[in-house]
Amino acid sequence: MNDMLELLRNEKNMTPKQIEIIRAAIELISEKGYYNTSTSEIAKRAGVAEGTIFRHYKTKKELLVEIVTPVITNFAAPMFAEKFVDQVFRTDFAHFKDLMYVFIKNRFEFAQSNIPLLKIVMQELAFHPEIQDAYKKVFKEKVYPAFNQTLDFYKEKGELQNLPNETMIRLIVPTIIGFMITRFILQPDKDWDDEAEIRKLITVIMGGVGSKE
Amino acid sequence: MNDMLELLRNEKNMTPKQIEIIRAAIELISEKGYYNTSTSEIAKRAGVAEGTIFRHYKTKKELLVEIVTPVITNFAAPMFAEKFVDQVFRTDFAHFKDLMYVFIKNRFEFAQSNIPLLKIVMQELAFHPEIQDAYKKVFKEKVYPAFNQTLDFYKEKGELQNLPNETMIRLIVPTIIGFMITRFILQPDKDWDDEAEIRKLITVIMGGVGSKE
DNA sequence: TATATAAGTGAGTAATCACTCACACACTGA
DNA sequence: TCAGTGTGTGAGTGATTACTCACTTATATA
């Protein structure tokens, strides 16, 4: 089942047909891309008249944005939940790598249950300034500050190299995202041992590929 | 100037108008995406009648594939140039990190002079099986074997952790690609110290973010 | 029950799309 | 000089597109 659809159903109060429209749009757009999916197709798959789509969304792009922005916000969500930041500073995590584990595991599961949506975000991010704005805002206001605090904390504990936070974030985050892209999009059918893969990922993030002499 | 255009001009023998078509197509598609770029637009920018495009390419998609496949082949090119493999085994590189430096630097410069083309590849890869095939073939036949040999070589020298080659490749390559995406696509306008960034990247790949105790 | 508002419909529309084709031109070799 | 071939043209075509609108139906409120 789909986390995000559930969330949309509750937050905004949508009609059953509206939910069907969103469900159909997610399916089709993640398969074929935004520009290659027509509103008539979405209507057909949703079992709805084409006019109904435009009753709820002024334009096709408004529909896309409505689908995509909650994904961006929620993918970054745990970063600015008080619970998360609290946990770090109440030192529920003895070591940085323990925090990394919980963090990656958590986001991994989120990705797993929202693959089509994440596909859409990645594909359309490049073309739609509206989506880019949402992404930049979340990153600047939420992700970045949370990361900053956390990195400082573990630097003081002497667990991290003395690289600028910004550099660290810039190198760690794409590594994690790249890992998930490989796992869910490039080679989804390989039989993965996810637990082991996540541990290896953390090993490499913490200690690199070089041998310790 | 554009590496790849020059290469196309020489390999196939193209008419001047054909070159203009490709140049215009690269510009427009990298800006707006394949489906959002019309053939009439390409013709207009190229200073050519729309019919001329279809004189040379049976379909619009054939034009896309013609543009994209040489990029894929050439981005992976150094991996299977004998020169490169030779260098490694004649131990022109004392350490793995020296090889990494030359490799990343080289591919970095390639990316820099072919940003629009790489943008197109990344965006359209998801939707066109023809492009995926080209990508898979190059990776399987060229990139992977070359990497394999190289990693074994430095493992025996005791410079690398004892992780499976496949795992290493799966963690190193996305890190490098992620670095370039940040550099050229997400934050192209930031004033980067490229040399320093590449060195930090290698430090992290080799030794991770953790401090050495 | 009467009325207002929201949700849903589907035929219709102007614009745009990828692609065609009959024709014009330039060059080559005989 | 003439046929043959490759290159270039642009008006034309049927299909498809996002979106509209006059209309019906359902729901809520008074």
Side-chain angles (χ1 to χ4, degrees), chain B residues 14-63:
Chain B
M14 289 187 166
T15 64
K17 301 235 165 189
Q18 204 171 350
I19 291 167
E20 283 312 306
I21 289 169
I22 297 242
R23 188 202 306 284
I26 291 172
E27 278 178 31
L28 289 165
I29 295 175
S30 77
E31 277 168 29
K32 317 197 298 167
Y34 173 75
Y35 289 110
N36 209 28
T37 302
S38 67
T39 48
S40 72
E41 233 175 331
I42 295 172
K44 192 182 277 177
R45 172 147 337 172
V48 152
E50 203 175 344
T52 311
I53 294 176
F54 293 94
R55 169 82 44 213
H56 294 288
Y57 307 99
K58 261 172 282 179
T59 63
K60 187 189 168 191
K61 183 165 248 169
E62 196 179 294
L63 171 62

Side-chain angles (χ1 to χ4, degrees), chain B residues 157-171:
Chain B
K157 290 184 76 177
E159 291 205 9
L160 294 175
Q161 277 197 50
N162 200 22
L163 284 167
N165 285 348
E166 199 230 327
T167 308
M168 271 193 180
I169 295 171
R170 211 171 348 97
L171 291 173

